[in-house]
Amino acid sequence: MANLKEQKFPEVQGGGSLILAWQIKNKTVLVVGGGEVAAGRILNLLNADAHVVVVCPSEGLNPEVRHRIANDGVTHVDRVFEPQDLEALPPTGTSPDMVLVAVDDPAASTQIWKLCKQRRIPANIADVPSECDFYFGSVHRDGPLQIMVSTNGKGPRLAASIRRWIGDHLPQGVGNAIERIGELRVKLRQMVPAIEDGPKRMRWMTRVSDAYSWDDMCALTDEDMDNLLKFYQTNKVPELHVLKAMRGGKVVEDLDVFDGSFGFSVVA
């Protein structure tokens, strides 16, 4: 084994955040407040399939929050926050899994933060980084693709600018291509479900992802994906024109692929 002092390892860069994709589907999130910031938080939560409960007097709701309550299944409690909200929320009567505070009252916000800490409920107090268990970054969304840019609470507007730049430079159709790859993975797992086949599945899917362009991936039909799966057992990945030639029920043996007419080759 090489001397540890001779090995190169990444340098530690303190002061960052652990960026995670938090799965809150079907979990209950309490939003205190009903203004513009709360509206953005609520949309993020609904995109993640959370159950959202908004505690705010009706006169404090902005038009977007009113719309979410009326149309998107958001539960509204028409009053100011009370400590018992951390114990039981409608309609389930359970405590929240997460709390987001977006009100123009620093003292009240800090009190809610302290109550959340006592109950070990993760919380975010808008615009107060020191009273946050987590931050909201600026997110680019294209179907299943999500890219978050975070400045660790130091420059939200800069994060938004960087996010827009990234979005403008991504290939067209990248979200659709990822969707197709996801469908192919599901089909492959159904075809080869054994746990011990996991490493081989991952290696083959990596080769498939590297073999086709974004546009090519988007253009794959369900028949193309079924035909592509036929190459899994031999650990091969055909070129796109071979898959197109197999459309209509043809199999590789039916194709005159070795005389150069299709230029058949297999990605190494």
Side-chain angles (χ1 to χ4, degrees):
M1 178 179 293
N3 190 311
L4 286 177
K5 294 183 179 180
E6 298 176 356
Q7 298 185 49
K8 299 293 185 181
F9 298 104
E11 294 290 333
V12 175
Q13 300 181 51
S17 299
L18 182 62
I19 297 181
L20 304 170
W22 201 328
Q23 300 297 319
I24 59 170
K25 182 178 181 178
N26 295 328
K27 294 183 179 180
T28 300
V29 181
L30 168 62
V31 177
V32 182
E36 182 180 352
V37 174
R41 301 288 195 253
I42 292 167
L43 178 59
N44 288 334
L45 294 170
L46 293 174
N47 285 339
D49 300 320
H51 295 311
V52 182
V53 180
V54 174
V55 173
C56 180
S58 291
E59 59 268 21
L61 301 177
N62 82 353
E64 182 177 347
V65 176
R66 291 181 185 277
H67 171 81
R68 302 299 177 197
I69 293 169
N71 297 281
D72 295 315
V74 173
T75 300
H76 178 219
V77 179
D78 187 4
R79 56 168 171 74
V80 298
F81 170 86
E82 296 180 358
Q84 60 262 32
D85 291 331
L86 300 182
E87 302 294 338
L89 284 172
T92 61
T94 59
S95 61
D97 297 289
M98 177 188 293
V99 174
L100 309 179
V101 181
V103 295
D104 295 325
D105 188 335
S109 296
T110 295
Q111 185 59 34
I112 297 172
W113 163 255
K114 292 178 178 178
L115 291 172
C116 289
K117 292 303 93 190
Q118 292 174 8
R119 292 163 175 77
R120 297 187 177 183
I121 300 174
N124 174 282
I125 311 302
D127 205 31
V128 188
S130 62
E131 296 181 352
C132 293
D133 289 308
F134 54 90
Y135 303 128
F136 282 87
S138 185
V139 177
H140 172 81
R141 179 76 185 270
D142 184 354
L145 175 66
Q146 291 179 266
I147 300 174
M148 189 185 88
V149 178
S150 172
T151 58
N152 288 303
K154 296 182 178 180
R157 292 189 67 84
L158 289 177
S161 177
I162 295 169
R163 181 261 302 166
R164 287 192 293 270
W165 185 91
I166 291 173
D168 290 341
H169 286 78
L170 287 172
Q172 292 294 319
V174 62
N176 289 333
I178 294 172
E179 194 73 56
R180 299 305 278 167
I181 280 289
E183 293 169 3
L184 185 65
R185 289 184 64 189
V186 170
K187 288 175 177 283
L188 179 59
R189 186 176 290 275
Q190 292 172 343
M191 186 179 81
V192 191
I195 295 177
E196 56 268 25
D197 288 320
K200 181 181 177 181
R201 287 197 305 264
M202 292 177 63
R203 288 192 298 269
W204 188 76
M205 284 300 308
T206 297
R207 296 175 68 184
V208 170
S209 299
D210 292 340
Y212 306 119
S213 70
W214 295 112
D215 290 340
D216 291 342
M217 198 69 68
C218 292
L220 290 180
T221 66
D222 289 337
E223 182 185 16
D224 291 335
M225 290 199 292
D226 289 339
N227 286 332
L228 179 56
L229 289 170
K230 295 175 182 178
F231 292 84
Y232 169 76
Q233 294 298 347
T234 58
N235 201 30
K236 305 297 183 182
V237 179
E239 292 187 357
L240 184 65
H241 53 256
V242 175
L243 289 178
K244 291 182 177 180
M246 294 175 67
R247 291 174 181 173
K250 295 180 181 178
V251 296
V252 173
E253 290 77 8
D254 294 335
L255 307 178
D256 190 11
V257 294
F258 298 107
D259 68 355
S261 59
F262 288 103
F264 179 84
S265 64
V266 173
V267 177

